Amino acid sequence: MRDIKSLGFVRGLAATAVVVLLGTQAFAQSTFVKTVGQVQLRPGVMNPFALPAGTQYASDHVVVGFYANTHYATMQYAANQVGLTIRQANRYDRFVIMDITPEAESMGMTVEKAVARLLENPAIRFAEFDTKITPDFIPDDTLFGQQWGMHNTGQSGGTADADIDAPEAWDVIMTHPEVVVGVCDDGFDYNHEDLMNVMWSNPGEIPNNNIDDDANGFIDDTNGWDFSDGDKDIQPAPGDIHGTHVAGTVGAEMNNGKGVAGVGPNIRLMGLRMYGGAGGFMSSLTAAIDYGWENGATVLSVSYNIDGFTQAMADAVGRAKAADVVYCNSAGNNGQQNPPRQALRQMHDNVVFVASSTRNDTVSGFSNWGTLIEVAAPGSDILSTFPNNNYASISGTSMATPHMAGVIGVIRSLNPGKTARESLDIILDVTDKPAGIVGKVPGGRVNLANAIAGQVIGTSNVNNVVPVIGSNTGGNFYSFHVSGDSNSYDILSVLVPDRGFYAAYDMTFVAGTTTDVETMQLSLEGTTDGLPTAVYIYFFNYVTNAWEYQTSTNLGGPNTEFSFKTRKGATDFISSPGMGVKVRVFTIQSVRRRGGVPAPYTLKTDMAKLELLGG
Ligand code: CA
Ligand code: CA
Ligand code: CA
């Protein structure tokens, strides 16, 4: 039996919740540690008292998970025993929120005492604090900058091509099948001129008839849901700018003559407001995650500090994994190595954490990094949508995360047969790896065009050239030439539907006496027909028996020669005695060549030189 009136009263209390600040230091001196120390923690369940120092949480309610098939009456009894009441919810089998009654509070009941007492109940799998979450962004007063993260031309002192190569990718794919990205954040201005046509629309829900038409447990949830306030209104409250900004980076309408462009040309944005209003607690994010995977999102973009993540939240990410949905979260803005949140990546491989990069391809000073922070994306001075048809630049790993989430959305839409993890690996295998990034984030900076080209490479047949044996030019220094200027090696391109024309070939450099290669440099000189062409270099890895992406560059202008070098440290794996070093050169021109008509081209290579330095 649920007393709705009393629940309403308790909810009113929640809106004025006092948040307490309590670190692990404080716990060490508290009497509650003694109490919880006598409680048997369930196997595989997080210790609710082992929160990172400084974690804030609600002081008026706790989050409780029961074992499967527990009756509601049992839950109610467990709550009442400790002086708590159960808040109304859609799914009691996942977790319940228990509020401290005013009576119990006056008798001295606290959330710490409640958690310790509840953990003694054998029907309860976990009982924990509802940790407070905060946005991972840094306000920045450099308004109205440019979208260097999508396309960096060196504007505002940046480094050309220190970006995710979005125009190059759009040129190749033009568009992609519709895909839904759930954005868990504060409010969303779905009336914004650059968002109004790209919001997700719940196909089974008739707006504003006060009926849950699709029976998903939410009445009139047309664009998403507000898990902070528990209603359908996802619009920003005054001061909410974060969600609208993040949403614009993922999928602001492209090519509409207005404002900015999101990463994906055909992404639908599901608005999952879980911060602001009365919320901003982990339990709101948890409910938003569940709504996202249950209602068709394939990627969830979360730009919030989840260092104090809870068992309830980890469970929800696990359910998202079971539904094959990617959970993409900001690495955080503490300039910290190995933030506590990265433990979530160890628990679930559908998780990816995103560090922030600058317009000069360095890791942003504020950005966290660590062994399980797999990738960086542009996050400093990012221009995107602000409420009321405004646009502004702000910074944070919050801004990096939607770049990655947008790329994941595009790649998932193009690869419906790939799992969440396989889709992530497609992207992570072909990141750019500038020196300013890989020192802290070895996984490099995400590149949308590479991720798309990488798939073509994976499915194409590549022309082969006869292995060429070069000469030892002294000491451990080797130099090999495929041909001279007068004798170029020509490859005619072929068309891959929906991707463009590609031309590619493999070269084998027999390394002679070299069996212990430490570094190598590859130089190529050649030309195409002068239209924009992307070049990708792969080395063959004899350990994994697979081609391994190294670097990419762009060709442009008529009959331009190209020459670039790549260097690889500790390269034993790419050299095998008697088999030499194998290099793959892959070029691609888009279907929608800029200002031109799709046509085949010839890749001419005048010279290829490999310099090996042995140990
Ligand atoms: Ca670029
Ligand atoms: Ca509904
Ligand atoms: Ca309805």
Side-chain angles (χ1 to χ4, degrees):
M1 255 196 317
R2 294 173 222 164
D3 186 338
I4 300 301
K5 194 174 173 193
S6 133
L7 280 171
F9 174 61
V10 173
R11 285 184 126 177
L13 274 187
T16 57
V18 179
V19 171
V20 296
L21 182 67
L22 198 49
T24 44
Q25 291 292 321
F27 270 122
Q29 289 148 15
S30 105
T31 54
F32 311 124
V33 169
K34 226 176 188 174
T35 315
V36 79
Q38 295 159 353
V39 171
Q40 189 71 39
L41 282 169
R42 315 297 179 227
V45 172
M46 288 179 239
N47 180 355
F49 288 89
L51 291 169
T55 301
Q56 298 180 308
Y57 51 86
S59 63
D60 64 346
H61 68 268
V62 297
V63 175
V64 182
F66 288 84
Y67 287 102
N69 305 318
T70 303
H71 292 296
Y72 183 77
T74 306
M75 298 180 184
Q76 203 174 34
Y77 181 71
N80 292 346
Q81 263 193 321
V82 187
L84 309 175
T85 55
I86 296 178
R87 206 182 285 185
Q88 193 177 12
N90 281 325
R91 294 288 300 260
Y92 296 92
D93 56 330
R94 289 176 179 162
F95 68 93
V96 297
I97 292 178
M98 294 185 183
D99 291 291
I100 300 176
T101 63
E103 295 76 16
E105 194 179 10
S106 68
M107 302 281 284
M109 181 49 69
T110 64
V111 287
E112 294 84 4
K113 287 179 186 171
V115 163
R117 287 273 309 274
L118 288 165
L119 284 170
E120 293 169 1
N121 188 326
I124 289 175
R125 181 169 151 257
F126 62 86
E128 61 194 10
F129 306 107
D130 202 359
T131 55
K132 191 95 177 81
I133 49 179
T134 50
D136 273 333
F137 89 105
I138 297 166
D140 186 320
D141 39 20
T142 311
L143 300 183
F144 305 105
Q146 296 180 54
Q147 284 187 280
W148 67 266
M150 303 286 175
H151 188 52
N152 197 332
T153 57
Q155 66 265 49
S156 305
T159 304
D161 208 33
D163 56 36
I164 70 165
D165 276 341
E168 290 89 337
W170 299 333
D171 235 21
V172 168
I173 58 169
M174 296 189 284
T175 188
H176 57 88
E178 188 173 296
V179 61
V180 180
V181 175
V183 182
C184 304
D185 214 292
D186 62 19
F188 301 87
D189 183 3
Y190 52 75
N191 295 319
H192 193 289
E193 61 181 9
D194 235 358
L195 297 175
M196 60 193 303
N197 296 325
V198 292
M199 293 301 293
W200 172 73
S201 178
N202 185 351
E205 192 70 27
I206 298 164
N208 302 319
N209 64 352
N210 210 26
I211 294 170
D212 180 11
D213 304 283
D214 63 349
N216 67 349
F218 300 89
I219 296 169
D220 293 344
D221 54 323
T222 48
N223 302 120
W225 192 255
D226 180 351
F227 295 91
S228 298
D229 294 336
D231 61 44
K232 66 180 179 182
D233 180 16
I234 61 169
Q235 276 286 341
D240 282 12
I241 48 88
H242 196 265
T244 301
H245 192 277
V246 165
T249 299
V250 175
E253 187 174 359
M254 187 179 298
N255 222 22
N256 62 345
K258 291 170 185 163
V260 293
V263 173
N266 199 20
I267 288 175
R268 292 294 168 269
L269 301 163
M270 180 187 282
L272 303 173
R273 186 171 190 253
M274 53 86 198
Y275 190 86
F281 290 111
M282 200 62 76
S283 57
S284 302
L285 171 58
T286 299
I289 291 167
D290 278 324
Y291 182 98
W293 68 259
E294 284 185 313
N295 290 279
T298 47
V299 186
L300 296 168
S301 184
V302 183
S303 290
Y304 278 74
N305 178 350
I306 57 159
D307 280 338
F309 72 89
T310 60
Q311 186 66 51
M313 192 270 188
D315 281 1
V317 173
R319 289 189 289 270
K321 175 178 161 54
D324 200 31
V325 169
V326 173
Y327 180 84
C328 178
N329 202 113
S330 47
N333 298 337
N334 316 104
Q336 181 189 0
Q337 188 174 11
N338 294 328
R341 74 189 73 182
Q342 71 172 10
L344 191 64
R345 168 67 183 87
Q346 214 146 27
M347 302 169 73
H348 300 299
D349 70 1
N350 61 325
V351 171
V352 64
F353 285 103
V354 187
S356 171
S357 70
T358 70
R359 64 175 76 244
N360 296 110
D361 255 346
T362 58
V363 175
S364 306
F366 55 77
S367 181
N368 289 352
W369 80 99
T371 49
L372 297 174
I373 310 297
E374 291 181 275
V375 73
S380 287
D381 302 324
I382 300 303
L383 179 69
S384 186
T385 44
F386 255 40
N388 303 314
N389 287 338
N390 289 314
Y391 301 88
S393 291
I394 52 178
S395 299
T397 51
S398 278
M399 284 65 243
T401 301
H403 280 99
M404 179 64 180
V407 171
I408 299 166
V410 172
I411 293 302
R412 296 215 73 180
S413 80
L414 294 169
N415 297 275
K418 299 282 188 190
T419 66
R421 190 64 222 175
E422 287 168 346
S423 303
L424 284 170
D425 288 340
I426 286 175
I427 298 163
L428 297 174
D429 282 350
V430 291
T431 56
D432 286 329
K433 296 191 171 172
I437 301 275
V438 294
K440 280 185 172 174
V441 184
R445 192 244 310 121
V446 64
N447 185 309
L448 178 59
N450 284 7
I452 289 168
Q455 299 176 264
V456 180
I457 293 166
T459 58
S460 66
N461 293 312
V462 178
N463 293 289
N464 286 284
V465 294
V466 177
V468 175
I469 300 176
S471 58
N472 183 334
T473 56
N476 289 317
F477 193 81
Y478 296 81
S479 182
F480 305 89
H481 292 260
V482 168
S483 63
D485 280 350
S486 58
N487 184 26
S488 67
Y489 186 75
D490 297 352
I491 301 287
L492 186 65
S493 66
V494 294
L495 179 66
V496 182
D498 301 325
R499 293 294 191 280
F501 286 94
Y502 81 88
Y505 60 88
D506 292 350
M507 293 178 289
T508 301
F509 297 93
V510 177
T513 58
T514 303
T515 57
D516 183 21
V517 178
E518 281 193 349
T519 63
M520 60 189 281
Q521 291 189 147
L522 176 72
S523 305
L524 291 169
E525 286 182 15
T527 184
T528 65
D529 57 4
L531 284 164
T533 308
V535 182
Y536 299 88
I537 300 298
Y538 285 68
F539 288 151
F540 191 77
N541 183 329
Y542 285 100
V543 175
T544 61
N545 237 26
W547 289 99
E548 193 170 288
Y549 168 77
Q550 299 299 316
T551 189
S552 70
T553 189
N554 296 302
L555 302 180
N559 302 316
T560 309
E561 289 200 333
F562 65 95
S563 174
F564 63 89
K565 298 175 179 180
T566 186
R567 182 180 290 274
K568 182 97 183 169
T571 53
D572 286 354
F573 65 88
I574 52 136
S575 175
S576 174
M579 301 187 72
V581 175
K582 295 201 317 192
V583 179
R584 173 166 292 183
V585 179
F586 186 98
T587 65
I588 190 162
Q589 277 189 357
S590 70
V591 171
R592 182 176 59 182
R593 293 154 73 179
R594 278 161 269 179
V597 177
Y601 64 95
T602 300
L603 171 67
K604 296 172 179 287
T605 303
D606 292 330
M607 183 274 289
K609 186 170 72 174
L610 190 71
E611 296 166 335
L612 307 176
L613 186 60

Short mmCIF file of all heavy atoms in Angstrom, two decimals, residues 202 204-206 211-222 225 291 295, ligand 2:
data_model
loop_
_atom_site.label_atom_id
_atom_site.label_comp_id
_atom_site.label_asym_id
_atom_site.label_seq_id
_atom_site.Cartn_x
_atom_site.Cartn_y
_atom_site.Cartn_z
N ASN A 202 9.52 10.47 -29.82
CA ASN A 202 9.06 9.14 -29.42
C ASN A 202 7.92 8.70 -30.34
O ASN A 202 6.82 9.27 -30.29
CB ASN A 202 8.58 9.18 -27.96
CG ASN A 202 8.20 7.81 -27.45
OD1 ASN A 202 8.11 6.85 -28.22
ND2 ASN A 202 7.96 7.72 -26.15
N GLY A 204 5.90 6.25 -30.43
CA GLY A 204 4.69 5.65 -29.89
C GLY A 204 3.90 6.55 -28.97
O GLY A 204 2.89 6.13 -28.39
N GLU A 205 4.34 7.79 -28.82
CA GLU A 205 3.72 8.66 -27.83
C GLU A 205 2.93 9.79 -28.50
O GLU A 205 3.47 10.51 -29.34
CB GLU A 205 4.80 9.28 -26.93
CG GLU A 205 4.26 9.96 -25.69
CD GLU A 205 3.69 8.98 -24.67
OE1 GLU A 205 4.14 7.82 -24.64
OE2 GLU A 205 2.78 9.38 -23.91
N ILE A 206 1.67 9.93 -28.14
CA ILE A 206 0.86 11.07 -28.60
C ILE A 206 1.08 12.20 -27.60
O ILE A 206 0.85 12.02 -26.41
CB ILE A 206 -0.63 10.69 -28.69
CG1 ILE A 206 -0.82 9.56 -29.71
CG2 ILE A 206 -1.47 11.91 -29.06
CD1 ILE A 206 -2.17 8.87 -29.60
N ILE A 211 -1.79 10.60 -21.50
CA ILE A 211 -1.85 9.13 -21.54
C ILE A 211 -0.47 8.60 -21.90
O ILE A 211 0.21 9.15 -22.77
CB ILE A 211 -2.88 8.65 -22.61
CG1 ILE A 211 -4.29 9.08 -22.20
CG2 ILE A 211 -2.81 7.14 -22.81
CD1 ILE A 211 -5.33 8.88 -23.29
N ASP A 212 -0.07 7.54 -21.25
CA ASP A 212 1.19 6.87 -21.60
C ASP A 212 0.92 5.94 -22.77
O ASP A 212 0.76 4.73 -22.61
CB ASP A 212 1.71 6.10 -20.37
CG ASP A 212 3.01 5.39 -20.66
OD1 ASP A 212 3.62 5.66 -21.72
OD2 ASP A 212 3.42 4.57 -19.81
N ASP A 213 0.86 6.52 -23.97
CA ASP A 213 0.40 5.78 -25.15
C ASP A 213 1.25 4.56 -25.45
O ASP A 213 0.74 3.52 -25.87
CB ASP A 213 0.37 6.71 -26.37
CG ASP A 213 -0.48 7.93 -26.13
OD1 ASP A 213 -1.72 7.79 -26.19
OD2 ASP A 213 0.08 9.02 -25.86
N ASP A 214 2.56 4.66 -25.27
CA ASP A 214 3.43 3.52 -25.61
C ASP A 214 3.71 2.65 -24.38
O ASP A 214 4.52 1.72 -24.46
CB ASP A 214 4.74 4.01 -26.24
CG ASP A 214 5.57 4.86 -25.29
OD1 ASP A 214 5.04 5.24 -24.22
OD2 ASP A 214 6.73 5.14 -25.61
N ALA A 215 3.04 2.93 -23.28
CA ALA A 215 3.13 2.10 -22.08
C ALA A 215 4.57 1.84 -21.64
O ALA A 215 4.93 0.74 -21.25
CB ALA A 215 2.39 0.78 -22.30
N ASN A 216 5.41 2.87 -21.74
CA ASN A 216 6.80 2.71 -21.29
C ASN A 216 6.99 3.25 -19.88
O ASN A 216 8.12 3.35 -19.39
CB ASN A 216 7.77 3.38 -22.27
CG ASN A 216 7.62 4.91 -22.29
OD1 ASN A 216 6.68 5.46 -21.73
ND2 ASN A 216 8.56 5.57 -22.94
N GLY A 217 5.88 3.64 -19.23
CA GLY A 217 5.96 4.12 -17.86
C GLY A 217 6.08 5.62 -17.73
O GLY A 217 6.19 6.14 -16.61
N PHE A 218 6.06 6.33 -18.88
CA PHE A 218 6.23 7.79 -18.86
C PHE A 218 5.13 8.44 -19.70
O PHE A 218 4.95 8.11 -20.87
CB PHE A 218 7.62 8.17 -19.39
CG PHE A 218 8.73 7.59 -18.58
CD1 PHE A 218 9.25 6.33 -18.89
CD2 PHE A 218 9.26 8.27 -17.50
CE1 PHE A 218 10.28 5.77 -18.13
CE2 PHE A 218 10.28 7.73 -16.73
CZ PHE A 218 10.79 6.48 -17.04
N ILE A 219 4.41 9.37 -19.09
CA ILE A 219 3.27 9.99 -19.75
C ILE A 219 3.73 11.19 -20.58
O ILE A 219 4.39 12.09 -20.06
CB ILE A 219 2.22 10.43 -18.71
CG1 ILE A 219 1.67 9.20 -17.99
CG2 ILE A 219 1.11 11.24 -19.36
CD1 ILE A 219 0.82 9.54 -16.76
N ASP A 220 3.39 11.17 -21.88
CA ASP A 220 3.69 12.27 -22.80
C ASP A 220 5.19 12.57 -22.91
O ASP A 220 5.61 13.73 -23.01
CB ASP A 220 2.92 13.53 -22.39
CG ASP A 220 1.42 13.37 -22.58
OD1 ASP A 220 1.02 12.43 -23.29
OD2 ASP A 220 0.66 14.18 -22.01
N ASP A 221 5.98 11.50 -22.93
CA ASP A 221 7.43 11.67 -23.09
C ASP A 221 7.76 11.73 -24.58
O ASP A 221 8.17 10.76 -25.19
CB ASP A 221 8.17 10.51 -22.41
CG ASP A 221 7.70 9.13 -22.88
OD1 ASP A 221 6.49 8.96 -23.11
OD2 ASP A 221 8.55 8.24 -23.03
N THR A 222 7.59 12.89 -25.18
CA THR A 222 7.74 13.01 -26.63
C THR A 222 9.19 13.17 -27.07
O THR A 222 9.59 12.64 -28.09
CB THR A 222 6.91 14.17 -27.18
OG1 THR A 222 7.15 15.32 -26.37
CG2 THR A 222 5.44 13.85 -27.15
N TRP A 225 12.76 12.75 -21.20
CA TRP A 225 12.13 12.86 -19.88
C TRP A 225 13.01 13.69 -18.95
O TRP A 225 14.23 13.74 -19.14
CB TRP A 225 11.90 11.47 -19.28
CG TRP A 225 11.00 11.46 -18.07
CD1 TRP A 225 11.38 11.32 -16.77
CD2 TRP A 225 9.58 11.62 -18.05
NE1 TRP A 225 10.29 11.36 -15.95
CE2 TRP A 225 9.16 11.56 -16.71
CE3 TRP A 225 8.62 11.81 -19.06
CZ2 TRP A 225 7.82 11.67 -16.33
CZ3 TRP A 225 7.29 11.92 -18.68
CH2 TRP A 225 6.90 11.85 -17.34
N TYR A 291 16.19 4.69 -19.15
CA TYR A 291 15.24 5.18 -20.15
C TYR A 291 15.90 5.17 -21.53
O TYR A 291 15.28 4.77 -22.53
CB TYR A 291 14.79 6.60 -19.81
CG TYR A 291 13.77 7.16 -20.77
CD1 TYR A 291 12.41 7.12 -20.50
CD2 TYR A 291 14.17 7.72 -21.99
CE1 TYR A 291 11.47 7.62 -21.39
CE2 TYR A 291 13.25 8.23 -22.89
CZ TYR A 291 11.90 8.18 -22.59
OH TYR A 291 10.98 8.67 -23.48
N ASN A 295 14.53 2.90 -24.76
CA ASN A 295 13.72 3.62 -25.73
C ASN A 295 14.45 3.94 -27.03
O ASN A 295 14.05 4.83 -27.77
CB ASN A 295 13.16 4.89 -25.09
CG ASN A 295 12.09 4.57 -24.04
OD1 ASN A 295 10.93 4.33 -24.37
ND2 ASN A 295 12.50 4.53 -22.77
CA CA B 2 5.19 7.04 -22.80
#
